[in-house]
Amino acid sequence: MAEQVSDAAPAKQVQQLERVVIRFAGDSGDGMQLTGDRFTSETAQLGNDISTLPNFPAEIRAPAGTLPGVSSFQVHFADYDILTPGDSPNVLVAMNPAALKANVADLPPGADIIVNTDEFTKRNLIKVGYAVSPLEDGSLARFRVHPVALTSMTVGALADLDVSKKDAERAKNMFALGLVSWMYSRPHESTLRFLERKFAKRPELVAANIAAFKAGWNFGETTETFTVRYEVKPAKMAAGTYRNITGNAALALGLVAAGVRAQLPVFLGAYPITPASDILHELSKHKRLGVTTMQAEDEIAAVAAAVGAAYGGALAVTTTSGPGVALKGESISLAIALELPLVIVDVQRAGPSTGMPTKTEQADLNMALYGRHGEAPLAVIAPKSPSDCFHAAIEAARIALTYRTPVILLSDNYVANGSEPWLLPEVGDLPDLRVEFATEPNGEDGRFLPYLRDPETMARPWAVPGTPGLEHRIGGLEKADRTGDISYDPANHDFMVRTRAARIDGIPVPDVEVDDPDGDASVLVLGWGSTYGPIGAACRRLRQRNLPIAQAHLRHIAPLPANLGEVLRRYDRVVIPEMNLGQLAHVIRAKYLVDALPYNQVRGLPFTATELANMLEDVVKNG
Amino acid sequence: MAEATIPLKLTAKDFKSDQEVRWCPGCGDYAILAAVQQFMPELNIPRENIVFVSGIGCSSRFPYYMNTYGMHSIHGRAPAIATGLSVSRPDLSVWVVTGDGDALSIGGNHLIHALRRNVNLKILLFNNRIYGLTKGQYSPTSELGKITKSTPTGSADSPFNPLSLALGAEATFVARTIDSDRKHLQSVLRAAAEHDGSAFIEIYQNCNIFNDGAFELLKDPGTKDDHLIRLEHGQPITFGAQGQFCVVHPAGGFGLSVRETASVAPEDVLVHDATVDDPAYAFALSRLSGSDLGTTPIGVFRSVRRESYDTLVQEQLATAKAGATGTPEEMLSGLLASGDTWTIL
């Protein structure tokens, strides 16, 4: 690398920036996710804070060159701690006319656009409705457009290599990555190592992709198209070892960690579904840590198998998205009746029905809280960011194991596929999740009473098959208190229904914390789950404008923190932004009789900090 | 099956739970329960290592009456629940009790996938060709044209042949027996218990309230000899009081046929071989019996060796663990820190 890539750039001006948002956009076959991922990794190595947002269609390969086929990856990096992937890109890399057209409206004036001119053919322009090339009609005058013949230069750079024209053309994403890496002074070693690993079985592709990357880098270095090179200094972050991680990966590792800390085998029953499948993929790699994964025949079998494994003494998990939770409802109810630990992960996506499988939403909260027959309460928690998925998974397992209950963990596509730097925890600092299985009869005359409860946790004994003397039968029919025998007694049913509700209500959860730096805010913005970043960024903007605002964010939605009512009543106005039509707001209004103001958006995309800041500013100023 | 070297000296009584049995008087389920309870001591497996899992329906009350571990679960899902239990607890002997509605209607998908995977489950399907617990609707094994509460002018859908279905899923052990023939029922249970992998047993069971006498042709001393074909491994397939009927494989045909023994050369009488690897043979046997039960084989149709899902999963876990070094906490630390990391001082 050193002899071919010069890091010295005497002819170029170097400009310092605090933060940059880059969006790589192209056809879904152009490798934009990989490109964005690599740029993110290089940026993480440099020590910037990062937040990413992949955005891709559900179709694996939509027709080439069309608007529905556009796939993009946005990365925001800064020399300070950031909370979101950024509202609008400073740089757009557009690999074809469709990518330009689909993204140009998001760009602020003055943004840089790098376009692959090779793809701006008449045919491709017509395909997306451009009568005249936007590169020639002056419509991009408010931007800094950098026309680059990405494809042909890549093919040219690989002319001496033994690769097909098709493989050479496919390496154009690495040319683009090389160019942008040069522009932003990113370290490139990890990308070269990555390419060597990725194409280890095809050395010619290693050579081709590395050559393309270097060609892109050197193009930036030598051509006069690019006169400025940028630097973003490392962010001041807490000391420790970091890795960049997506929410799905963090969630999977959290489940593995929970198994280790509980000293229990982890059993995952799952059926492939976007955007949750990556959790299944990740967990299937960790057999040596005692993780069994079963790809079941359907969503129902996936949760049913998990219930069976929980009965046998495993830390049982099922992972899915909204449509899967709908199918799992009856089995979750069974787990509620059986009072067995079970973690149900719902990586929410836009619904109803198939909806928009690759787009985010928070509209499964009602289903998580209420979506079962009968009075069927369970615990519900939600992670607030990609790396927080790790800790949320451990918390879900802790509640499930300690209180012998199903727990729904509400992730969503935004945190699941987004990424950020993660300060690696010390394993020894993670919660101790060890459980005690029942080993002895607990009733009179040596009888075993499967529904005799622990007075503190209200959990019933976990008596797993294989334990002599504790043979017992349980099922979905209503059970008598203590004995667990079938019971149709009216008073017993009333008691058991109330007990199951009290069991969940009684789970101690941490108080909600309020971020109100000067303590003078009259408006509280309350969120849950993945809106944490955009809400936090919006609050910062208000405070920069000297407008006080308080922020509180819920991890536990069932049960709610004990201090929440008091917190809500402290403020004149409570605003609840959600990516649904007001589901948490309904809960808050019903439970606390607080006139909370919902603010809702269901566009399949996260809130932008800008829109939230504008909305909150209006509330703060006008009530 | 677990190999206990010391006889446990359990009796049928040890397998009776303290729960009052609540099937209708005269139900075929009583006979099956008694036969199973009497058979269980033969396994010589401690009661705590035995689990009965059921779904919903009359038959699915079964686990409540067995003094083992048991779960009465939800409609149709018992094979899936039992799969999760069996694969994560290979030390247990897991039995599934289900019915024709539970296993073949609402739970059809789980049944075929459990069989396809060859999960180490012993699946007892009580087939009474009717919905009993919901009071008398036709089931997926009811004969075409069945008049019931929900089909006053006769059902319009053809039934499943449960054994054909199981064999289509390439079940490794497939058998049929009858509630009233305790000796035969127990012989089939014995063979199933010895089988490593899924064992599927269809038990013809009389519902004396909603479908009484459904299998009378095979039970009445006056008719059963001419209609019941008792399969025995290694024996020619003949039936009738004097063995006057036999099963042959006619040249040029796909299936098997019934002939008068006298009209067939002795070497042309089919000799039953339950170990034939190709499920087509057992499938052809299963097709001898239609809705009218005219010629109905009972016994073990198929018993072949294939690695169970449980074994394959456990082998993968064992291989992965054998290659691991360090404590789980150390391995976890390494895992968390894998990939591209950076350190801030």
Side-chain angles (χ1 to χ4, degrees):
Chain A
M1 191 75 195
E3 69 279 10
Q4 291 183 42
V5 172
S6 164
D7 278 320
K12 307 280 185 181
Q13 180 196 343
V14 175
Q15 194 178 325
Q16 298 294 326
L17 298 173
E18 290 180 350
R19 55 180 283 263
V20 179
V21 179
I22 300 180
R23 186 181 294 177
F24 296 92
D27 211 44
S28 42
D30 282 344
M32 290 299 97
Q33 301 304 317
L34 176 77
T35 307
D37 210 45
R38 288 321 310 165
F39 188 86
T40 302
S41 189
E42 293 173 358
T43 296
Q45 298 281 311
L46 198 71
N48 293 134
D49 197 12
I50 311 165
S51 178
T52 70
L53 176 68
N55 190 0
F56 45 86
E59 295 77 15
I60 303 303
R61 293 279 188 276
T66 62
L67 289 169
V70 173
S71 164
S72 71
F73 188 104
Q74 183 162 311
V75 51
H76 181 191
F77 56 103
D79 67 2
Y80 60 94
D81 66 311
I82 51 174
L83 295 168
T84 75
D87 293 354
S88 46
N90 308 109
V91 183
L92 172 69
V93 177
M95 299 298 279
N96 64 12
L100 178 67
K101 184 155 193 180
N103 292 288
V104 72
D106 295 339
L107 304 180
D112 286 289
I113 304 177
I114 298 170
V115 286
N116 179 10
T117 52
D118 288 326
E119 290 292 321
F120 279 65
T121 61
K122 194 169 181 188
R123 188 160 168 270
N124 284 351
L125 290 165
I126 289 169
K127 219 184 259 184
V128 295
Y130 280 127
V132 183
S133 172
L135 305 180
E136 291 157 14
D137 66 0
S139 62
L140 303 177
R142 63 190 184 283
F143 307 116
R144 283 188 295 189
V145 180
H146 309 277
V148 182
L150 272 166
T151 312
S152 50
M153 287 205 298
T154 304
V155 172
L158 308 188
D160 296 339
L161 295 175
D162 182 24
V163 286
S164 67
K165 183 158 181 282
K166 193 176 158 211
D167 281 338
E169 285 178 354
R170 287 185 63 176
K172 64 181 179 291
N173 62 331
M174 286 299 114
F175 187 104
L177 178 63
L179 173 58
V180 181
S181 297
W182 171 84
M183 275 179 78
Y184 289 93
S185 317
R186 305 288 101 180
H188 45 251
E189 294 78 10
S190 71
T191 291
L192 303 186
R193 280 200 308 274
F194 167 83
L195 291 171
E196 282 163 8
R197 281 199 308 273
K198 179 172 172 66
F199 297 111
K201 286 178 182 160
R202 295 190 60 188
E204 75 277 15
L205 293 186
V206 176
N209 280 281
I210 289 179
F213 181 90
K214 289 176 178 173
W217 181 288
N218 291 337
F219 176 76
E221 182 70 33
T222 52
T223 181
E224 290 177 4
T225 308
F226 298 95
T227 54
V228 186
R229 200 178 179 193
Y230 303 94
E231 281 181 3
V232 178
K233 288 276 194 296
K236 285 185 190 66
M237 295 166 81
T241 300
Y242 288 78
R243 70 186 276 196
N244 191 56
I245 196 148
T246 64
N248 271 346
L251 205 155
L253 294 181
L255 293 170
V256 176
V260 169
R261 296 296 287 168
Q263 298 179 6
L264 291 177
V266 174
F267 179 90
L268 172 72
Y271 185 77
I273 184 168
T274 302
S277 302
D278 281 340
I279 303 172
L280 166 63
H281 304 160
E282 182 65 32
L283 284 175
S284 67
K285 296 180 205 162
H286 304 307
K287 295 180 174 64
R288 72 195 173 109
L289 278 161
V291 180
T292 301
T293 54
M294 174 184 170
Q295 184 176 315
E297 58 269 25
D298 57 33
E299 294 282 0
I300 299 172
V303 64
V307 170
Y311 179 63
L315 170 53
V317 184
T318 188
T319 51
T320 186
S321 186
V325 178
L327 286 163
K328 292 177 197 293
E330 191 192 15
S331 301
I332 297 171
S333 291
L334 175 66
I336 290 170
L338 297 181
E339 302 186 22
L340 286 171
L342 177 67
V343 175
I344 302 119
V345 177
D346 176 0
V347 185
Q348 299 166 95
R349 65 190 218 189
S353 190
T354 311
M356 301 194 289
T358 59
K359 308 299 175 191
T360 199
E361 207 160 272
Q362 292 181 296
D364 293 350
L365 178 60
N366 279 344
M367 177 165 64
L369 292 171
Y370 312 120
R372 290 163 298 283
H373 60 287
E375 294 286 352
L378 44 62
V380 178
I381 72 170
K384 66 181 183 181
S385 73
S387 69
D388 188 47
C389 288
F390 177 83
H391 300 285
I394 293 175
E395 175 66 358
R398 186 189 70 82
I399 292 174
L401 293 170
T402 309
Y403 301 96
R404 307 279 145 75
T405 177
V407 178
I408 293 184
L409 174 51
L410 285 175
S411 177
D412 67 37
N413 186 63
Y414 173 49
V415 287
N417 283 316
S419 70
E420 66 180 358
W422 174 37
L423 176 59
L424 299 182
E426 289 293 333
V427 170
D429 294 341
L430 299 175
D432 182 346
L433 303 183
R434 282 175 296 177
V435 294
E436 283 185 19
F437 292 130
T439 54
E440 301 285 337
N442 56 354
E444 310 81 23
D445 311 326
R447 275 192 76 187
F448 176 60
L449 302 171
Y451 280 77
L452 183 67
R453 298 173 188 288
D454 178 304
E456 191 190 330
T457 61
M458 291 179 81
R460 71 177 194 87
W462 198 0
V464 301
T467 314
L470 304 190
E471 295 84 1
H472 65 285
R473 278 64 54 190
I474 53 176
L477 286 169
E478 183 60 286
K479 286 156 289 289
D481 181 37
R482 296 163 55 91
T483 65
D485 291 343
I486 298 171
S487 171
Y488 287 88
D489 178 64
N492 177 75
H493 180 58
D494 189 81
F495 175 80
M496 291 297 276
V497 167
R498 291 175 194 279
T499 300
R500 284 187 284 264
R503 254 163 55 71
I504 301 303
D505 288 343
I507 296 171
V509 302
D511 276 352
V512 66
E513 291 176 14
V514 182
D515 177 29
D516 183 3
D518 298 323
D520 56 350
S522 59
V523 175
L524 172 75
V525 54
L526 178 71
W528 67 278
S530 77
T531 52
Y532 174 76
I535 293 173
C539 288
R540 281 186 186 176
R541 292 189 192 186
L542 259 68
R543 289 167 193 158
Q544 280 164 5
R545 298 171 202 166
N546 290 316
L547 296 170
I549 183 133
Q551 182 190 4
H553 207 75
L554 294 173
R555 152 161 295 181
H556 296 87
I557 305 162
L560 287 160
N563 70 331
L564 182 58
E566 182 272 313
V567 166
L568 295 170
R569 291 187 189 98
R570 238 188 271 164
Y571 295 89
D572 297 341
R573 205 81 173 101
V574 176
V575 186
I576 304 182
E578 292 178 88
M579 295 187 290
N580 59 42
L581 295 186
Q583 298 186 10
L584 177 68
H586 273 94
V587 173
I588 296 298
R589 295 173 74 110
K591 187 172 167 76
Y592 300 102
L593 299 178
V594 165
D595 186 18
L597 176 68
Y599 182 76
N600 307 106
Q601 173 209 286
V602 278
R603 300 172 61 236
L605 291 166
F607 286 108
T608 64
T610 305
E611 67 176 309
L612 285 181
N614 291 343
M615 179 273 292
L616 291 172
E617 179 171 346
D618 184 51
V619 175
V620 169
K621 285 181 173 167
N622 305 315
Chain B
M1 292 295 105
E3 290 171 39
T5 47
I6 305 162
L8 295 167
K9 296 189 178 153
L10 295 168
T11 65
K13 196 160 168 283
D14 291 311
F15 286 92
K16 290 183 175 136
S17 78
D18 60 358
Q19 300 293 301
E20 183 193 353
V21 184
R22 293 188 195 173
W23 287 310
C24 306
C27 177
D29 289 353
Y30 282 97
I32 303 171
L33 176 64
V36 172
Q37 285 170 335
Q38 189 184 51
F39 164 74
M40 292 315 281
E42 267 192 43
L43 292 176
N44 205 39
I45 296 174
R47 283 182 319 190
E48 67 267 20
N49 290 339
I50 300 170
V51 186
F52 278 82
V53 182
S54 65
I56 292 292
C58 293
S59 59
S60 287
R61 298 297 177 98
F62 198 94
Y64 286 119
Y65 309 134
M66 294 294 297
N67 193 10
T68 61
Y69 281 88
M71 187 197 293
H72 175 220
S73 76
I74 46 175
H75 208 10
R77 317 303 168 201
I81 291 169
T83 296
L85 177 62
S86 181
V87 73
S88 59
R89 289 291 306 276
D91 55 317
L92 301 175
S93 172
V94 183
W95 297 66
V96 171
V97 177
T98 182
D100 39 314
D102 192 55
L104 301 174
S105 207
I106 194 166
N109 199 33
H110 307 308
L111 176 71
I112 56 174
H113 285 276
L115 297 175
R116 162 180 81 82
R117 290 192 179 98
N118 201 28
V119 185
N120 199 9
L121 303 175
K122 313 306 158 203
I123 302 170
L124 313 183
L125 189 159
F126 298 9
N127 181 7
N128 56 17
R129 297 182 157 191
I130 199 78
Y131 279 86
L133 198 63
T134 50
K135 302 191 177 177
Q137 301 82 8
Y138 79 111
S139 92
T141 55
S142 296
E143 54 277 21
L144 181 66
K146 182 88 169 172
I147 291 176
T148 70
K149 273 184 193 152
S150 62
T151 50
T153 53
S155 64
D157 36 340
S158 293
F160 268 136
N161 177 325
L163 296 199
S164 299
L165 185 74
L167 289 160
E170 299 191 33
T172 53
F173 181 98
V174 174
R176 177 189 286 138
T177 186
I178 301 180
D179 56 1
S180 54
D181 188 343
R182 179 177 293 196
K183 195 170 158 224
H184 188 267
L185 200 161
Q186 291 181 337
S187 75
V188 168
L189 292 176
R190 194 171 297 122
E194 285 167 3
H195 179 74
D196 184 25
S198 295
F200 177 80
I201 305 174
E202 179 189 25
I203 305 174
Y204 283 158
Q205 173 248 324
N206 191 44
C207 171
N208 57 320
I209 304 296
F210 295 109
N211 201 19
D212 195 25
F215 306 103
E216 205 51 32
L217 193 68
L218 308 176
K219 295 181 176 185
D220 185 318
T223 57
K224 70 175 185 181
D225 286 344
D226 287 348
H227 299 285
L228 199 60
I229 307 175
R230 290 175 179 275
L231 299 173
E232 284 180 52
H233 180 68
Q235 297 298 315
I237 307 175
T238 62
F239 63 105
Q242 279 79 45
Q244 67 269 39
F245 304 112
C246 68
V247 173
V248 298
H249 182 206
F254 290 113
L256 303 177
S257 296
V258 170
R259 295 277 189 275
E260 288 192 12
T261 311
S263 69
V264 176
E267 64 270 24
D268 287 344
V269 175
L270 196 63
V271 174
H272 179 51
D273 182 357
T275 66
V276 173
D277 194 53
D278 187 343
Y281 163 66
F283 187 85
L285 275 179
S286 76
R287 304 313 293 169
L288 288 172
S289 161
S291 279
D292 65 356
L293 305 172
T295 51
T296 300
I298 62 169
V300 179
F301 286 55
R302 173 173 160 87
S303 177
V304 300
R305 167 106 195 107
R306 173 152 58 91
E307 210 76 89
S308 72
Y309 178 70
D310 315 52
T311 301
L312 292 170
V313 170
Q314 289 301 324
E315 280 176 4
Q316 289 191 358
L317 286 171
T319 304
K321 285 177 182 169
T325 51
T327 65
E329 285 77 11
E330 288 164 352
M331 285 192 279
L332 177 62
S333 283
L335 173 62
L336 299 186
S338 60
D340 292 336
T341 62
W342 68 97
T343 300
I344 291 174
L345 300 172

